[in-house]
Amino acid sequence: MSFTIDSEVRSHGGTQYVCTHDSRATSTPMTFSIFVPDHEGATKLPVVWYLSGLTCTHANVTEKGEFREACAELGLIFVAPDTSPRGDSVADDPEGAYDFGLGAGFYVDATEAPYAPHYQMWTYITDELPTLIEHAFPCDKDRQSIMGHSMGGHGALTIGLSFPERFKAVSAFAPIVAPSQVPWGKKALTGYLGDDKNVWRKHDAVALIEDGHQVPALLIDQGSDDNFLEEQLKPELLQTACDQAGIELTLRMQHGYDHSYYFISSFIRDHLAWHQQRLA
Amino acid sequence: MSFTIDSEVRSHGGTQYVCTHDSRATSTPMTFSIFVPDHEGATKLPVVWYLSGLTCTHANVTEKGEFREACAELGLIFVAPDTSPRGDSVADDPEGAYDFGLGAGFYVDATEAPYAPHYQMWTYITDELPTLIEHAFPCDKDRQSIMGHSMGGHGALTIGLSFPERFKAVSAFAPIVAPSQVPWGKKALTGYLGDDKNVWRKHDAVALIEDGHQVPALLIDQGSDDNFLEEQLKPELLQTACDQAGIELTLRMQHGYDHSYYFISSFIRDHLAWHQQRLA
């Protein structure tokens, strides 16, 4: 349960840490960032998990997410893990593609060779890292929520739907909502989990909802000028599933916005305020 | 006066542009970013200039500065130029050091070989780029202010002190206030301008104030944990010069903050609001 603090920087009335530890789940060193607002000595603070998208590390949202001002005001800890195991021993996409392998763990526990030994991101995010941060930082484990972007939106949705008691709110920016039905997801789920589509269902938000999973509250922002909207994201599939399951989904189409951190940073304050209301 | 729009992205209720043009001043292509808040058709908006520090391009503040939310709320255009000419034909520091040559133009017009042909950043920032943006974007040239970081704080101070009619407010994050008296500045001013220290005075904020230059309003934030504070920045020299000249300086020491964009982004909203009051 030990870890190294790679950097510790004061920002926006709080402290931005970047930490590295040897992960049991992935059998690799893993790096994450965590922002802790200033707080009274023994106070425990609610925790917002942020899962990043394809090609990202912890650093993208940490540098470009513009979350610290709102987190400091709202008293929220903000955790940003990496998106895959990394290192010379970790298998990558055979052709080095951006959408599978390194930077593209898809938040599953891989069962297929050669990915199974290290690609255990589901266990890492839902079990190992929560235990670490609860011991090392002033986290109130009874007040947690989760959000993510694109592939990380997929992660936030599937983890939120799988642990509705743990996460009081789930939100996403431009999430992959139905990986079983889109190219990015089909490639990743086949590569990590094999061909049995029944196995994929617990890693597909729309399928989880069809199978009866619930979530306390759900907010999604989607840019209308997102290049991946029609082929990979398909928020209408989530809307239909939520309608049929009686889940209240707030789906906001943001006119003219794209898939980048210029979009995420524009609305992350809204998301954090919405989370904080549900974590009070 | 033509330019190319490299990217145009919607963010925070405005548009973030990155543009490139062939500069007459530097005889190279130059890239800058400009954020334009949404506005009524023919409205012209006040302009805040942001000059970046050593090693930076326009991109650092554009990605990490967290200025767009405040600029959109306050109705401010935000311009971020590059810090030097660039290209294969542009002379660099003989040893490739970070503090001279590429990424380190120090906002002067070089007179010394081999830098004079391209390092004409004073003319670029004070003459060429203003004309370009006034023609291409809805800029109100009668409502302008200037800010900067570190070397860019030096640029903002010296340009603000030289054009007090043009810039209604000047602010800086961790500026080099007296380059003639510190290692970064001595190296740069010698390399670009030669050995005559009388020539340096128009590029040294403390010397300009000693020589009678004034500025309408001056705000500086300085982190107490900035590694460069004692050797390179020396804000006390500016305080003394302002006190003797009767210039009202607001100098805020920010406890625990460093020299990075984690520091700048924490206080840029304060600066922008302070500028906007003086641009109304």
Side-chain angles (χ1 to χ4, degrees):
Chain A
M1 198 58 68
S2 69
F3 64 99
T4 303
I5 296 178
D6 304 327
S7 64
E8 178 180 348
V9 184
R10 187 149 181 75
S11 192
H12 284 293
T15 306
Q16 180 66 62
Y17 299 91
V18 175
C19 306
T20 298
H21 65 117
D22 289 322
S23 166
R24 281 180 287 104
T26 68
S27 302
T28 64
M30 291 293 287
T31 298
F32 64 94
S33 82
I34 182 167
F35 177 73
V36 182
D38 292 350
H39 57 283
E40 298 291 321
T43 309
K44 295 207 168 198
L45 301 175
V47 180
V48 178
W49 290 79
Y50 178 94
L51 303 185
S52 294
L54 290 168
T55 77
C56 291
T57 69
H58 71 283
N60 302 69
V61 70
T62 305
E63 295 177 354
K64 302 179 184 177
E66 304 192 18
F67 59 85
R68 280 178 288 272
E69 186 175 73
C71 284
E73 289 172 12
L74 299 166
L76 300 172
I77 287 175
F78 188 96
V79 185
D82 203 348
T83 55
S84 79
R86 297 179 191 272
D88 292 342
S89 64
V90 177
D92 193 7
D93 182 276
E95 297 175 357
Y98 75 96
D99 58 1
F100 186 72
L102 298 180
F106 267 83
Y107 306 102
V108 301
D109 285 345
T111 53
E112 299 300 292
Y115 304 103
H118 297 296
Y119 287 81
Q120 300 292 315
M121 291 300 292
W122 181 269
T123 296
Y124 177 69
I125 300 288
T126 65
D127 181 13
E128 183 176 13
L129 189 55
T131 305
L132 188 156
I133 67 163
E134 281 161 27
H135 281 81
F137 297 95
C139 298
D140 183 349
K141 69 177 181 180
D142 294 326
R143 290 187 293 163
Q144 298 188 69
S145 66
I146 191 163
M147 63 167 70
H149 169 232
S150 195
M151 175 185 75
H154 147 73
L157 289 167
T158 54
I159 291 171
L161 285 158
S162 300
F163 297 92
E165 300 292 320
R166 187 188 303 180
F167 299 106
K168 311 302 184 200
V170 179
S171 78
F173 303 94
I176 304 169
V177 303
S180 308
Q181 302 184 50
V182 303
W184 278 342
K186 289 179 186 174
K187 175 178 177 180
L189 297 180
T190 303
Y192 294 130
L193 302 177
D195 291 330
D196 182 353
K197 293 192 177 180
N198 283 319
V199 174
W200 296 7
R201 294 186 73 79
K202 67 175 269 200
H203 294 291
D204 181 302
V206 165
L208 283 165
I209 293 170
E210 290 171 354
D211 292 345
H213 288 260
Q214 292 278 331
V215 67
L218 193 50
L219 168 65
I220 288 176
D221 274 322
Q222 172 63 57
S224 70
D225 283 16
D226 185 325
N227 287 334
F228 304 111
L229 176 54
E230 290 188 20
E231 187 179 10
Q232 306 281 7
L233 304 178
K234 298 185 180 293
E236 66 279 6
L237 297 176
L238 184 67
Q239 183 72 69
T240 300
C242 285
D243 289 348
Q244 291 178 354
I247 293 176
E248 190 182 344
L249 165 65
T250 302
L251 171 59
R252 310 190 305 186
M253 290 298 288
Q254 301 291 1
H255 182 70
Y257 286 83
D258 69 4
H259 198 68
S260 73
Y261 274 94
Y262 292 106
F263 158 61
I264 297 167
S265 64
S266 298
F267 300 103
I268 201 164
R269 175 184 285 277
D270 280 5
H271 283 235
L272 290 165
W274 181 88
H275 282 247
Q276 195 267 347
Q277 288 175 357
R278 285 152 185 84
L279 295 169
Chain B
M1 198 58 67
S2 70
F3 65 98
T4 304
I5 295 177
D6 303 327
S7 65
E8 178 180 347
V9 184
R10 186 148 183 77
S11 192
H12 283 292
T15 306
Q16 180 66 62
Y17 299 91
V18 175
C19 307
T20 297
H21 65 117
D22 289 322
S23 166
R24 280 180 289 102
T26 68
S27 301
T28 64
M30 290 294 288
T31 297
F32 64 94
S33 82
I34 181 166
F35 177 72
V36 181
D38 292 350
H39 57 284
E40 298 291 320
T43 309
K44 296 207 166 194
L45 301 175
V47 181
V48 178
W49 290 79
Y50 178 94
L51 303 185
S52 294
L54 291 168
T55 77
C56 291
T57 69
H58 72 283
N60 303 68
V61 71
T62 306
E63 295 177 354
K64 302 180 185 176
E66 303 192 20
F67 59 85
R68 280 177 288 272
E69 185 175 74
C71 283
E73 289 172 12
L74 298 166
L76 300 172
I77 287 175
F78 188 96
V79 185
D82 202 348
T83 55
S84 79
R86 296 179 193 273
D88 293 341
S89 64
V90 178
D92 193 5
D93 182 275
E95 296 173 359
Y98 74 96
D99 58 1
F100 186 73
L102 297 180
F106 268 83
Y107 306 102
V108 302
D109 285 347
T111 53
E112 299 300 292
Y115 303 103
H118 298 297
Y119 286 82
Q120 299 291 314
M121 291 300 291
W122 180 269
T123 296
Y124 177 68
I125 299 289
T126 64
D127 181 13
E128 184 176 12
L129 189 55
T131 305
L132 187 156
I133 66 164
E134 281 161 28
H135 281 81
F137 297 95
C139 298
D140 183 349
K141 69 177 180 180
D142 294 326
R143 290 187 292 161
Q144 298 189 69
S145 65
I146 192 164
M147 65 168 68
H149 169 231
S150 195
M151 176 185 74
H154 147 73
L157 289 167
T158 53
I159 292 171
L161 285 158
S162 301
F163 297 91
E165 300 291 319
R166 187 190 303 181
F167 299 106
K168 311 301 184 200
V170 179
S171 77
F173 303 95
I176 303 170
V177 302
S180 308
Q181 302 184 49
V182 302
W184 277 343
K186 289 178 186 174
K187 176 178 177 179
L189 297 180
T190 303
Y192 294 130
L193 302 177
D195 291 328
D196 182 353
K197 293 192 176 179
N198 283 318
V199 174
W200 295 8
R201 294 187 72 80
K202 67 175 270 200
H203 294 291
D204 181 301
V206 165
L208 283 165
I209 293 170
E210 290 172 352
D211 292 345
H213 288 260
Q214 291 278 331
V215 67
L218 194 49
L219 168 65
I220 288 177
D221 274 322
Q222 172 64 57
S224 70
D225 283 16
D226 185 325
N227 287 334
F228 304 111
L229 176 54
E230 290 189 18
E231 186 178 11
Q232 305 282 7
L233 305 177
K234 297 184 181 291
E236 67 278 6
L237 297 177
L238 184 67
Q239 183 73 68
T240 300
C242 285
D243 288 347
Q244 292 178 352
I247 293 176
E248 191 182 343
L249 165 64
T250 302
L251 171 59
R252 310 191 304 187
M253 289 299 287
Q254 301 291 1
H255 182 70
Y257 285 83
D258 70 3
H259 197 69
S260 74
Y261 274 94
Y262 293 106
F263 158 62
I264 298 168
S265 64
S266 298
F267 300 103
I268 201 164
R269 173 184 287 275
D270 280 5
H271 283 234
L272 291 165
W274 181 88
H275 282 247
Q276 196 267 347
Q277 287 175 357
R278 285 153 184 84
L279 294 169

